């Protein structure tokens, strides 16, 4: 009988880690995202329908869709990483698929996690922090996650994940 370490439940960091975090998110990232994700589609709906009710409905619908994709927490256990959210991928990532877990630089998170024109974004928490987000890479993609307790997250990863051996290139 194999005894596995207990599962570790990790919530995301929501609040900014510094005044710089707050300023970057509130004065740069949030206005860009709000404009392109909410205002532009709402204005298009208003222009097409002329109805304030339909425009408000579109705005609310976009918000609800994003809430459904939002990752509310992760659980790391002997099998892998479980992303707790209503819809979206991944929901479960087995350790055998994980290639790398590293802290992502701020610029990478902002460009590739939040602003890159993808739906859904690769960072799907309600985090206002721009640092200490981990890039979790697997065979067919990657995402970002900002654990509220980075020490517990790192400890669980070290305990539960066996890193894949680097494949050696053979020249014959």
């Amino acid at each position: 009988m194999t005894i596995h370490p207990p599962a570790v439940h990790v919530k995301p960091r929501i609040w900014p880690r510094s005044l710089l975090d707050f300023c970057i998110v509130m004065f740069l990232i949030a206005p860009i995202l709000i404009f392109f994700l909410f205002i532009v589609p709402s204005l298009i709906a208003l222009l097409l329908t002329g109805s304030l009710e339909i425009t408000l409905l579109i705005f609310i619908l976009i918000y609800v869709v994003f809430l459904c994709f939002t990752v509310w927490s992760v659980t790391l256990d002997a099998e892998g990483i479980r992303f707790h959210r209503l819809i979206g991928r991944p929901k479960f990532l087995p350790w055998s698929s994980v290639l790398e877990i590293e802290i992502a630089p701020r610029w990478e998170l902002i460009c590739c996690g939040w602003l890159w024109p993808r739906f859904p974004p690769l960072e799907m928490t309600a985090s206002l922090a721009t640092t200490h987000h981990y890039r979790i890479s697997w065979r067919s993609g990657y995402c970002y996650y900002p654990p509220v307790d980075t020490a517990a997250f790192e400890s669980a990863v070290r305990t539960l994940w066996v890193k894949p051996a680097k494949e050696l290139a053979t020249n014959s």
Side-chain angles (χ1 to χ4, degrees):
M1 182 168 92
T2 305
I3 297 180
H4 297 288
V8 177
H9 188 76
V10 183
K11 291 190 175 281
R13 169 76 183 217
I14 302 299
W15 298 109
R17 293 184 189 275
S18 67
L19 181 59
L20 180 60
D21 264 359
F22 177 81
C23 291
I24 288 171
V25 172
M26 298 310 287
F27 301 118
L28 178 65
I29 305 305
I32 291 170
L33 292 177
I34 289 168
F35 180 76
F36 286 106
L37 297 175
F38 293 98
I39 294 174
V40 169
S42 298
L43 286 175
I44 291 170
L46 182 61
L47 290 173
L48 292 175
T49 67
S51 167
L52 287 175
E53 292 83 12
I54 291 177
T55 302
L56 181 59
L57 185 64
I58 295 295
F59 187 91
I60 292 169
L61 183 63
I62 293 168
Y63 182 70
V64 168
V65 167
F66 269 83
L67 283 179
C68 289
F69 278 92
T70 299
V71 175
W72 299 103
S73 65
V74 297
T75 299
L76 296 87
D77 62 23
E79 295 175 10
I81 304 171
R82 296 179 197 288
F83 295 84
H84 302 282
R85 58 166 144 203
L86 293 178
I87 58 176
R89 291 185 13 211
K91 279 195 176 182
F92 174 69
L93 192 56
W95 290 119
S96 60
S97 296
V98 176
L99 299 176
E100 201 170 54
I101 299 176
E102 293 184 314
I103 291 183
R106 174 183 278 146
W107 65 267
E108 178 186 329
L109 171 73
I110 291 169
C111 294
C112 301
W114 287 337
L115 295 180
W116 189 251
R118 311 182 175 156
F119 180 79
L122 297 176
E123 204 292 47
M124 281 303 297
T125 66
S127 182
L128 300 175
T130 63
T131 59
H132 295 89
H133 285 249
Y134 289 79
R135 181 188 341 94
I136 303 169
S137 304
W138 60 93
R139 291 185 179 101
S140 59
Y142 63 98
C143 66
Y144 300 92
Y145 190 76
V148 70
D149 185 345
T150 56
F153 181 81
E154 288 180 5
S155 175
V157 167
R158 275 193 304 275
T159 302
L160 298 165
W161 178 45
V162 177
K163 290 185 181 182
K166 298 278 185 183
E167 292 183 28
L168 299 174
T170 56
N171 296 332
S172 326

